[in-house]
Amino acid sequence: MKPKDLSINDIKIGDSATFSRIFTEDDVNNFAELSGDFNPLHMEEKYAETTKFKHRIVHGMLVGSLCSTLVGMYLPGKRCLYLSQTLSFKKPVYINDKLFVSGNVLNVSISTNVLEIGISIKNSKEEVLNGIAKVQVI
């Protein structure tokens, strides 16, 4: 997929973008290798069974990385320069859960070329993560 190419003048409050993603066991293992986070809650089913989650869960920051996908590929796309991101982790994400990512433009500053984008990530039942991205359109 090619990233969108939206300029600041192409974007208005209320604009939105959505996509879905499933994190596999390979994704979790690869993220552990890249991040160095081998916490047994993510890596060891036997350990995870002893926790309140009962199964391995996907790293929160791997789920949070979908915010980067949203702004870097969809809204605004290739002109995006990340400035900041808040994240609230609401519910665990399990391996092979289908996630639905949506972003909604909350504010547009033409003078600074800065967008605020509300981001929500849900599984089939409920919101698992939300936050606000501030990005500059370069």
Side-chain angles (χ1 to χ4, degrees):
M1 174 186 172
K2 287 178 65 176
K4 296 234 174 163
D5 185 14
L6 301 175
S7 74
I8 193 71
N9 296 317
D10 296 327
I11 302 166
K12 63 185 180 314
I13 292 173
D15 284 353
S16 63
T18 61
F19 69 95
S20 63
R21 173 71 194 259
I22 296 171
F23 287 119
T24 65
E25 184 168 350
D26 283 345
D27 293 325
V28 171
N29 293 337
N30 289 335
F31 185 81
E33 286 290 331
L34 287 169
S35 69
D37 181 355
F38 293 94
N39 185 303
L41 186 56
H42 308 300
M43 307 306 294
E44 299 174 17
E45 188 66 33
K46 190 169 184 111
Y47 171 77
E49 288 172 357
T50 69
T51 72
K52 68 181 183 177
F53 302 108
K54 303 299 180 203
H55 296 283
R56 292 169 56 198
I57 61 173
V58 176
H59 299 77
M61 293 307 289
L62 179 53
V63 177
S65 74
L66 295 175
C67 297
S68 182
T69 305
L70 184 107
V71 300
M73 297 301 290
Y74 296 93
L75 189 62
K78 78 178 195 177
R79 297 176 190 232
C80 175
L81 176 65
Y82 235 129
L83 300 177
S84 67
Q85 176 73 56
T86 63
L87 294 174
S88 294
F89 302 95
K90 303 295 189 179
K91 298 287 180 177
V93 172
Y94 296 94
I95 294 170
N96 295 319
D97 279 357
K98 187 168 188 177
L99 300 176
F100 302 90
V101 182
S102 61
N104 184 45
V105 176
L106 304 174
N107 193 27
V108 178
S109 173
I110 299 293
S111 63
T112 61
N113 286 359
V114 172
L115 306 174
E116 287 187 3
I117 302 169
I119 300 174
S120 176
I121 302 175
K122 298 178 180 179
N123 62 23
S124 61
K125 299 176 196 161
E126 59 199 344
E127 187 174 64
V128 298
L129 180 148
N130 65 41
I132 296 178
K134 272 192 176 182
V135 298
Q136 189 170 48
V137 181
I138 57 173

